[in-house]
Amino acid sequence: MRYFPTTLDRAQSDAVAERLQRHFDTHGYGPWALEIPGVTPFAGFVGLMRVGYDVPFAPAVEIGWRLARPFWGAGYATEAARSVTQFAFGALGLPGLVSFTVPANARSRAVMTRIGMQHCVGEDFMHPLVPPGHRLRRHVLYRLAASATGPSE
Ligand SMILES: CC(C)(COP(=O)(O)OP(=O)(O)OC[C@H]1O[C@@H](n2cnc3c(N)ncnc32)[C@H](O)[C@@H]1OP(=O)(O)O)[C@@H](O)C(=O)NCCC(=O)NCCS
């Protein structure tokens, strides 16, 4: 959580889980639990979220990921993200995806690059949910167009 403004206590974490469940109920997709067969039933999440706040690139669907530390460094986030893009552009028929993080989050940016996303420098933005003046306010914006990927399986 180093690149997020705060960590979450149990009540806040439960509230996030409920909000994400409502996202699935409303849209039929969301941040899926990442199961690694034979390793763990829950390594974290990789999935899709509607951008629900006021930013210049909204409306948009974000692809995002968050894995528990023991599961970093094995390619799991990238493998799952590739599956998610195929689902987004195939079954869901979305025209494109965005992803964003703070400039210093090199691991997250590396996943974006590995799945073919492009950094749109002119669209970098100040995150509206991070207080003005906060060191984590500036975000880099990446995009992936459905037309930039091959046919889905
Ligand atoms: C962002 C995050 C999911 C990236 O995790 P990650 O493990 O670096 O990414 P991947 O799962 O794609 O793994 C890539 C690494 O596995 C290695 N790897 C091993 N086998 C691999 C394979 N078959 N395919 C791809 N990579 C493989 C890669 O070389 C790379 O190694 P590195 O650690 O030397 O860079 C993770 O750092 C995280 O959860 N961070 C905290 C939450 C966060 O910041 N989320 C994003 C907020 S916007």
Side-chain angles (χ1 to χ4, degrees):
M1 295 296 283
R2 151 190 326 184
Y3 300 118
F4 292 81
T6 58
T7 53
L8 306 176
D9 63 23
R10 180 58 195 247
Q12 291 168 319
S13 178
D14 286 349
V16 170
E18 281 167 27
R19 181 167 54 79
L20 299 183
Q21 181 59 56
R22 280 199 302 277
H23 190 289
F24 276 101
D25 296 341
T26 304
H27 302 294
Y29 60 83
W32 288 279
L34 176 60
E35 178 181 358
I36 305 169
V39 177
T40 177
F42 185 46
F45 73 73
V46 179
L48 301 171
M49 281 157 286
R50 297 278 279 252
V51 177
Y53 34 81
D54 186 22
V55 281
F57 53 87
V61 177
E62 174 194 5
I63 183 167
W65 29 73
R66 195 180 304 175
L67 271 55
R69 185 67 186 84
F71 307 110
W72 295 11
Y76 295 136
T78 296
E79 181 180 341
R82 287 196 177 114
S83 294
V84 168
T85 59
Q86 284 179 7
F87 184 75
F89 300 145
L92 296 179
L94 298 177
L97 295 170
V98 299
S99 194
F100 44 85
T101 188
V102 296
N105 194 344
R107 281 188 170 274
S108 188
R109 296 180 69 169
V111 178
M112 296 172 198
T113 301
R114 277 193 290 269
I115 65 170
M117 301 192 88
Q118 302 283 336
H119 180 197
C120 300
V121 180
E123 294 192 277
D124 289 353
F125 65 103
M126 297 295 172
H127 201 300
L129 302 184
V130 181
H134 195 288
R135 67 185 172 85
L136 297 175
R137 192 150 197 252
R138 192 164 87 79
H139 278 60
V140 289
L141 184 85
Y142 284 64
R143 287 187 181 276
L144 181 64
S147 56
T149 62
S152 54
E153 288 161 19

